[in-house]
Amino acid sequence: MKRYLILLSTALLAWGCSASFNADRALSGGMKALQAASISDAQVQEYVHQYIVQLDGQSKVLPESNAYTQRLRKLTKGITQVDGIPLNFKVYQTKEVNAFACADGSVRVYTGLMDLMTDDEVLGVIGHEIGHVALKHSKKQMKQAILTSALRDGIASTGNVAAAISDTGLGEIGEALMGAQYSQKQELQADEYGYGFLKSAGKNPWAMALAFEKLQSLSGGTTSAGKAAAGSSVSQLFSTHPPTSDRIDRIAKKATADGYKRPTK
């Protein structure tokens, strides 16, 4: 909380130096920033849910009768919740290679990713993304997005989460979430979660390493997502660190030590 108070004080001072300073607006923004610093899991889920509803409406969500959706349903059968949060899975029709999971339990997989990978590899990527939710990484990113917006815009303090979203600009928060990059520690923790996720599903965890190899190849053979090809969403699946090659090596060694063999296909 001390860190947030320091940021708040700095922001208020900056506003105070502005010729167009509005004390009431700055104060309400400060109150919202403090709310963001202590936002609950339920509030985070509500904010994210509102954004996902909007994103689903803007994307081409494939119906249940579609082959891609049926494939995803088969892959995720029995995977219903994480950390008490109900999961819901949908497929976006797009050539982009991407997948993401949000704090409200929404998991979205792109057809571009499904075209590139085997079933087990897709499941490995899903496990990694769900790991960020289970380990509260997604909640931390959301809190930071709200705090940043509050300090910058001085948004109105309100007890109504849905109304606050309107004031803040739902798109800005969504962009912050979708473009968020996790720390090295968080990425490695999500890798560990995804590894265990595959094992618990009775799959060979080597699949995660193979999925990362394919993503690395798409990025032009570079070792970090930060160097991914322009216009590619592959970079969204990785932070700029740790290097992808290190993560592949880490997973491969762990799988080998656990007695798993690298698949031949």
Side-chain angles (χ1 to χ4, degrees):
M1 178 64 75
K2 182 178 179 181
R3 172 173 172 267
Y4 292 111
L5 289 174
I6 292 173
L7 287 172
L8 173 59
S9 298
T10 302
L12 291 176
L13 286 173
W15 276 324
C17 296
S18 171
S20 60
F21 173 70
N22 183 311
D24 290 338
R25 184 169 181 267
L27 180 59
S28 66
M31 292 175 66
K32 185 60 184 180
L34 290 177
Q35 287 182 357
S38 58
I39 190 169
S40 70
D41 286 0
Q43 288 174 312
V44 168
Q45 290 170 24
E46 186 174 350
Y47 271 102
V48 175
H49 179 69
Q50 292 296 322
Y51 171 67
I52 290 298
V53 168
Q54 183 186 82
L55 186 61
D56 284 351
Q58 297 171 347
S59 304
K60 185 169 183 179
V61 179
L62 294 179
E64 289 297 319
S65 59
N66 187 272
Y68 283 100
T69 302
Q70 291 178 3
R71 179 186 173 195
L72 183 62
R73 292 284 175 265
K74 183 178 180 180
L75 284 175
T76 58
K77 184 178 181 180
I79 304 172
T80 58
Q81 63 88 29
V82 59
D83 197 32
I85 303 172
L87 296 173
N88 66 90
F89 299 87
K90 292 184 179 180
V91 180
Y92 286 175
Q93 183 172 353
T94 170
K95 293 181 179 180
E96 293 182 3
V97 178
N98 201 11
F100 64 87
C102 292
D104 70 331
S106 296
V107 182
R108 302 295 181 262
V109 183
Y110 294 17
T111 54
L113 181 83
M114 298 180 74
D115 286 338
L116 178 69
M117 298 183 178
T118 66
D119 286 355
D120 288 359
E121 291 165 0
V122 171
L123 196 59
V125 172
I126 290 174
H128 172 92
E129 295 302 315
I130 289 177
H132 284 305
V133 177
L135 299 169
K136 307 295 185 183
H137 301 162
S138 299
K139 176 189 174 185
K140 293 177 183 178
Q141 292 288 358
M142 183 63 179
K143 287 176 61 177
Q144 187 58 49
I146 297 171
L147 178 62
T148 298
S149 181
L151 293 178
R152 183 183 64 247
D153 300 329
I155 64 177
S157 176
T158 174
N160 187 316
V161 176
I165 292 175
S166 177
D167 289 343
T168 306
L170 186 61
E172 290 184 5
I173 288 182
E175 288 177 6
L177 287 173
M178 294 296 289
Q181 292 186 333
Y182 297 106
S183 69
Q184 176 175 345
K185 180 179 179 180
Q186 289 173 330
E187 287 292 358
L188 293 178
Q189 287 176 336
D191 286 352
E192 288 290 326
Y193 186 96
Y195 183 95
F197 182 86
L198 283 173
K199 286 184 64 177
S200 65
K203 307 297 184 181
N204 184 340
W206 257 102
M208 178 172 284
L210 300 182
F212 284 6
E213 285 180 357
K214 289 181 177 179
L215 293 173
Q216 183 184 45
S217 177
L218 279 186
S219 67
T222 56
T223 57
S224 65
K227 300 178 183 178
S232 171
S233 61
V234 173
S235 60
Q236 295 180 24
L237 286 170
F238 289 125
S239 185
T240 53
H241 56 274
T244 306
S245 56
D246 290 353
R247 295 166 69 181
I248 293 171
D249 185 61
R250 183 186 182 98
I251 295 168
K253 287 181 177 178
K254 184 177 178 65
T256 300
D258 286 347
Y260 292 95
K261 294 183 179 181
R262 180 187 177 105
T264 56
K265 294 183 180 180

